[in-house]
Amino acid sequence: MKDLICDEFQNVVGDLLIRHRSILDILSKLSEANCRVNRAVTKSVTSCGCLSILAEKTTYPDDIDSFQELKNILNSHVKGELCANCEDIIVTELGKMLFYTAALCNTLNISMYDVFIKEYKKASALGIFNMT
């Protein structure tokens, strides 16, 4: 049974997308949305300061015996927590990315739910070997 929320979202996007129906418009808007997510995360560091990024070269000890051990020593380099304002902005921008992803799926006659399920099955089946 298909997930109704995903299908319904894709249908709503199809109904609402009027101005940017060209695939070129959709691709450029999706790219712009991606840039806006990057910018919003960057601003949470550089303007707000609710997050900081402490990154350095990752080193791997020679005595790692399992994937779980490796996961335990690696980190995201993100310190802090998003404030409510930055979280709201990032969620909004991620929503725009989803909107234009759904629009692209509609234009190419691809079910967004099927894309999600295929990626989920691939990640589940391949586990740690799905590091793409």
Side-chain angles (χ1 to χ4, degrees):
M1 182 168 146
K2 283 190 161 190
D3 185 283
L4 295 177
I5 292 174
C6 189
D7 286 346
E8 200 47 40
F9 176 70
Q10 192 169 348
N11 290 335
V12 167
V13 169
D15 292 343
L16 294 176
L17 194 68
I18 295 169
R19 188 164 166 229
H20 302 288
R21 270 195 108 63
S22 162
I23 192 164
L24 296 176
D25 284 336
I26 292 168
L27 289 171
S28 66
K29 293 300 275 184
L30 181 57
S31 181
E32 177 186 6
N34 180 54
C35 291
R36 292 179 66 88
V37 169
N38 290 341
R39 181 72 175 147
V41 172
T42 299
K43 295 298 269 182
S44 71
V45 174
T46 61
S47 291
C48 177
C50 61
L51 294 182
S52 60
I53 298 173
L54 303 172
E56 56 188 28
K57 180 180 177 184
T58 302
T59 57
Y60 303 96
D62 293 332
D63 60 345
I64 296 293
D65 294 324
S66 70
F67 180 69
Q68 188 59 45
E69 284 183 80
L70 184 58
K71 276 180 65 175
N72 290 339
I73 66 164
L74 297 177
N75 69 59
S76 66
H77 300 131
V78 176
K79 304 297 180 210
E81 290 188 32
L82 287 171
C83 69
N85 184 56
C86 289
E87 181 177 354
D88 184 53
I89 293 168
I90 292 169
V91 166
T92 297
E93 299 304 341
L94 286 169
K96 290 175 186 174
M97 279 184 62
L98 287 175
F99 182 93
Y100 287 107
T101 298
L104 182 60
C105 287
N106 285 341
T107 301
L108 298 174
N109 199 27
I110 295 172
S111 165
M112 195 167 157
Y113 178 79
D114 290 347
V115 172
F116 176 79
I117 291 300
K118 183 176 181 179
E119 192 61 25
Y120 169 76
K121 286 179 179 178
K122 181 176 134 187
S124 297
L126 296 176
I128 64 170
F129 301 105
N130 186 41
M131 297 178 167
T132 56

